[in-house]
Amino acid sequence: MVKTLVVDDTEDTRMVLSQMVEQVGGKVVAQAASAVEALVWLDHHGVDLVLTDFQMPEMRGDVLVSRIRAQWPTVQTAMISVLADADIAARAQAAGVHWLLSKPVTLVQLEQVVRGAVSHSSRWSGGPPA
Amino acid sequence: MDLQERAVRIMEDDRRRVVRDLQDGLFQVLSNMSMRLDLVIRWMDVEPDRVNDEILRVYRRMEQAILDVRQFIDDLQPVSVHAVGLGPAVMAMARRLEQEWGVPITVVDDTAAMLRCSSTMSLMLYRAIQEAVANAGKHARAERVMVRLYRDGPHLSVDIVDDGHGFDPQALGSGHYGLSLMTDRIAVLGGTCEVESEAGHGTTIRFRVPMDAPTPHETADAVVLENSPTPL
């Protein structure tokens, strides 16, 4: 099962996203209400996938992903945004986001993300390359 | 920055504020409803109990969405501020927001009948006060808000004081449309906008706008337009 951290500043959104991830075969191991909270949690726990909102107070999702990619390069990241326009796509790409999704997210999209994270974690199961 | 530039900036910032409110409010609620219904469709034949729970949740969110839209319409509604007077218009706004947020908003109008604002001045001040009160109630999570309108020599001053979580005014970026909108609206009137705030210690916003001197008969006692007695 893909161990997933869900990051969103709205409780209702965290709840429904978590239900959806579980529905498509992922395992939500934690929820964080902010990027800072997510980074603190990641300091002490392992995870396969981080599913984060883009627009959050204090720290945006793309900045969170940049930090994750720098510190935990094997963790897969999916970012959700109201718009997935060229500007957001460029920010996502620069940050190293693996999947960019626009709201409302569908189960079909999340199935692809979780399936992609599964194949990625199996590729990396021998440990990250040097 | 000249007046025309300020007017354009006010319009643009106003649009950004509307976009932000839609994104954070109605769009969020509708998105979550859509995602919940996606789950409902998946569960329909296999988990009827969960379907019932989710439909109930969607129904509640829909009620919330209707309230959000009503508030949005109220916020955008043209207001006949000049016809009723700035003080009474602010009082009406405060009563509506009190009901929506459950946060006591005290309005003290020390200007009473003295004000002879132009319709533009009244409306600009009303919208600036609306923005400041909205910031206090929606973003600063204040438990109490006080608005005081008073004469200050040749100026009309308005203080908006809240006990919310406050912020560092120096740390605000250019993307803080609400503050920029207030400042621009007051600047168009030739006035100033001062913000005193500190994280954890609430916020005081003061507008100071020049106005005509009162005529001799224009004296009145302070009128408290709301019955919340506790000062902040």
Side-chain angles (χ1 to χ4, degrees), chain A residues 2-8 14 17-18 21 26-43 45-54 56 59-80 96-101 110 113-114 116-118 120-121:
Chain A
V2 174
K3 288 192 291 179
T4 306
L5 168 64
V6 174
V7 190
D8 197 294
R14 290 198 301 276
L17 280 173
S18 298
V21 168
K27 172 74 182 166
V28 176
V29 290
Q31 297 180 1
S34 71
V36 173
E37 199 179 307
L39 288 170
V40 170
W41 189 88
L42 285 166
D43 265 335
H45 303 85
V47 74
D48 302 310
L49 172 68
V50 173
L51 183 62
T52 180
D53 190 23
F54 168 70
M56 293 185 288
M59 189 189 294
R60 285 196 322 259
D62 58 324
V63 180
L64 170 64
V65 169
S66 294
R67 301 263 181 101
I68 291 171
R69 295 302 307 273
Q71 274 189 271
W72 303 282
T74 62
V75 172
Q76 298 287 285
T77 55
M79 190 170 77
I80 304 168
V97 170
H98 294 93
W99 293 276
L100 176 61
L101 311 171
L110 281 181
V113 170
V114 168
V118 168
H120 178 89
S121 58

Side-chain angles (χ1 to χ4, degrees), chain B residues 9 18 56 66 93 144 158 168 194 206 213:
Chain B
R9 209 168 85 169
V18 169
L56 199 58
I66 290 167
M93 177 218 302
R144 282 178 298 173
V158 184
D168 176 5
E194 293 170 24
R206 174 167 299 149

Side-chain angles (χ1 to χ4, degrees), chain B residues 16-176:
Chain B
R16 288 193 185 97
R17 185 184 58 80
V18 169
V19 167
R20 183 196 63 194
D21 286 352
L22 279 173
Q23 281 184 359
D24 294 349
L26 188 58
F27 184 85
Q28 199 76 259
V29 175
L30 291 175
S31 273
N32 289 358
M33 280 166 50
S34 168
M35 293 193 287
R36 288 194 183 283
L37 288 174
D38 201 9
L39 280 166
V40 164
I41 292 165
R42 189 70 67 101
W43 293 338
M44 204 164 280
D45 297 326
V46 285
E47 297 185 75
D49 290 344
R50 293 183 85 178
V51 166
N52 289 342
D53 289 346
E54 281 307 312
I55 287 177
L56 199 58
R57 280 202 189 93
V58 170
Y59 177 70
R60 289 193 189 119
R61 298 297 183 277
M62 193 176 283
E63 286 185 316
Q64 181 60 47
I66 290 167
L67 287 176
D68 286 353
V69 171
R70 184 172 295 156
Q71 184 180 340
F72 200 67
I73 291 167
D74 284 343
D75 287 348
L76 291 176
Q77 201 81 264
V79 183
S80 309
V81 183
H82 191 54
V84 297
L86 181 60
V90 171
M91 178 187 68
M93 177 218 302
R95 283 189 178 152
R96 177 171 61 79
L97 295 177
E98 271 186 336
Q99 285 184 342
E100 285 172 9
W101 300 338
V103 173
I105 304 171
T106 305
V107 179
V108 179
D109 184 4
D110 287 340
T111 64
M114 294 192 299
L115 285 183
R116 291 181 305 158
C117 302
S118 70
S119 55
T120 305
M121 181 173 173
S122 302
L123 191 58
M124 286 291 212
L125 272 167
Y126 177 87
R127 292 297 183 198
I129 294 167
Q130 185 180 29
E131 189 68 39
V133 173
N135 280 344
K138 283 203 283 195
H139 305 303
R141 301 190 190 285
E143 292 181 3
R144 282 178 298 173
V145 182
M146 187 179 79
V147 181
R148 183 177 167 229
L149 299 90
Y150 57 100
R151 196 72 187 253
D152 178 14
H155 295 91
L156 166 64
S157 289
V158 184
D159 292 353
I160 301 101
V161 185
D162 73 65
D163 63 351
H165 55 52
F167 61 93
D168 176 5
Q170 305 301 321
L172 286 181
S174 57
H176 202 277

